[in-house]
């Protein structure tokens, strides 16, 4: 089994998301991007959903933080809410909301996002989840069994280096190519 960081290129991630689009039967009414990792995947998904369904889905941003960015470890405080729309800002016409994040690791963040969104939205709103990467591991968080969950890829439990976190993008893309992830 490979060890160390897995470097994924922008193209690789874009193509993973593109390959997931046929799994959507319809466009959601809103994309709920978990900041910061879900921002770029949500934006890519919006373009691809527009191509497929002909609608531009609005993106709302929620800020949740679990990991200390440098330590690559779970912070003692657990999930921190850094940004969250007030209940009335979600709008009344939403019937389907899609939570978007880059990676489902322990699932703690997704559980938190789902539960808090569930409280804010009307009970008849369907909430689904999309992630670029699902790490194959035992999860600490849980989602209700009827929640539609789409992962663009199911991957080994290794640290993933995303291109939007790179300081030197050329070096990042070079590593991605070396790892066969370009
Ligand atoms: P979870 O709550 O599922 O344990 O973690 C979710 C968050 O942890 C993600 O949104 C992401 O910010 C961070 N995270 C977990 N694993 C990785 C990883 O392999 N690479 C990066 N860059 N972030 C990760």
């Amino acid at each position: 089994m490979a060890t160390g960081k897995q470097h994924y290129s922008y193209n690789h991630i874009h193509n993973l998301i593109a390959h997931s689009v046929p799994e959507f039967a319809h466009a959601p009414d809103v994309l709920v991007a978990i900041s910061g990792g879900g921002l770029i995947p949500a934006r890519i998904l919006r373009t691809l959903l527009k191509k497929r369904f002909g609608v531009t889905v609005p993106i709302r941003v929620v800020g949740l933080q679990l990991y200390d960015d440098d330590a690559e470890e779970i912070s003692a405080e657990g999930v921190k809410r850094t940004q969250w729309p007030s209940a009335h800002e979600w709008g009344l016409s939403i019937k389907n909301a899609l939570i978007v994040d880059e990676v489902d690791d322990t699932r703690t963040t997704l559980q938190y996002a789902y539960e808090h969104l569930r409280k804010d939205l009307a009970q008849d709103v369907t909430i689904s989840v999309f992630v670029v990467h699902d790490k194959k591991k035992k999860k600490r968080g849980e989602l209700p069994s009827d929640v539609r969950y789409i992962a663009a890829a199911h991957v080994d439990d290794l640290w993933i280096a995303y291109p939007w976190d790179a300081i030197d993008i050329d070096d990042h893309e070079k590593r991605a190519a070396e790892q066969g992830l370009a």
Side-chain angles (χ1 to χ4, degrees), residues 34 37 66-67 74 101-110 135 140 158-162 165:
I34 300 182
L66 175 63
Y67 284 75
I74 295 172
D101 207 355
E102 89 278 49
V103 55
D104 174 4
D105 182 24
T106 64
R107 200 163 283 173
T108 312
T109 306
L110 288 173
K135 290 196 196 171
R140 220 171 326 141
L158 298 169
W159 188 260
I160 299 166
Y162 287 98
D165 285 327

Side-chain angles (χ1 to χ4, degrees), residues 168-181:
D168 182 339
I169 190 62
D170 295 327
D171 181 61
H172 178 98
E173 298 286 304
K174 190 168 141 261
R175 285 166 189 250
E178 285 163 5
Q179 293 179 326
L181 300 170

Side-chain angles (χ1 to χ4, degrees), residues 18-124:
H19 287 130
S20 312
V21 167
E23 295 191 43
F24 289 88
H26 52 74
D29 301 312
V30 63
L31 297 173
V32 181
I34 300 182
S35 178
L39 293 175
I40 294 174
R43 184 60 189 82
I44 293 170
L45 190 57
R46 182 168 85 160
T47 295
L48 298 166
L49 290 172
K50 173 151 196 211
K51 171 81 179 140
R52 179 160 153 89
F53 298 107
V55 291
T56 301
V57 183
I59 299 174
R60 297 272 177 278
V61 176
V62 299
L64 298 178
Q65 234 176 3
L66 175 63
Y67 284 75
D68 178 307
D69 284 347
D70 294 324
E72 296 179 7
E73 278 173 10
I74 295 172
S75 68
E77 308 92 324
V79 178
K80 266 190 292 192
R81 193 145 55 139
T82 56
Q83 183 181 343
W84 196 272
S86 52
H88 72 271
E89 287 177 281
W90 290 107
L92 294 174
S93 56
I94 296 173
K95 290 282 164 265
N96 294 283
L98 181 70
I99 296 171
V100 181
D101 207 355
E102 89 278 49
V103 55
D104 174 4
D105 182 24
T106 64
R107 200 163 283 173
T108 312
T109 306
L110 288 173
Q111 176 180 342
Y112 185 99
Y114 176 85
E115 286 175 353
H116 284 260
L117 203 54
R118 185 75 281 165
K119 282 191 204 134
D120 278 6
L121 299 179
Q123 282 313 300
D124 63 344

Side-chain angles (χ1 to χ4, degrees), residues 139-155:
K139 304 293 184 181
R140 220 171 326 141
E142 282 180 13
L143 294 167
S145 56
D146 62 343
V147 169
R148 177 109 165 89
Y149 174 96
I150 299 173
H154 302 274
V155 296

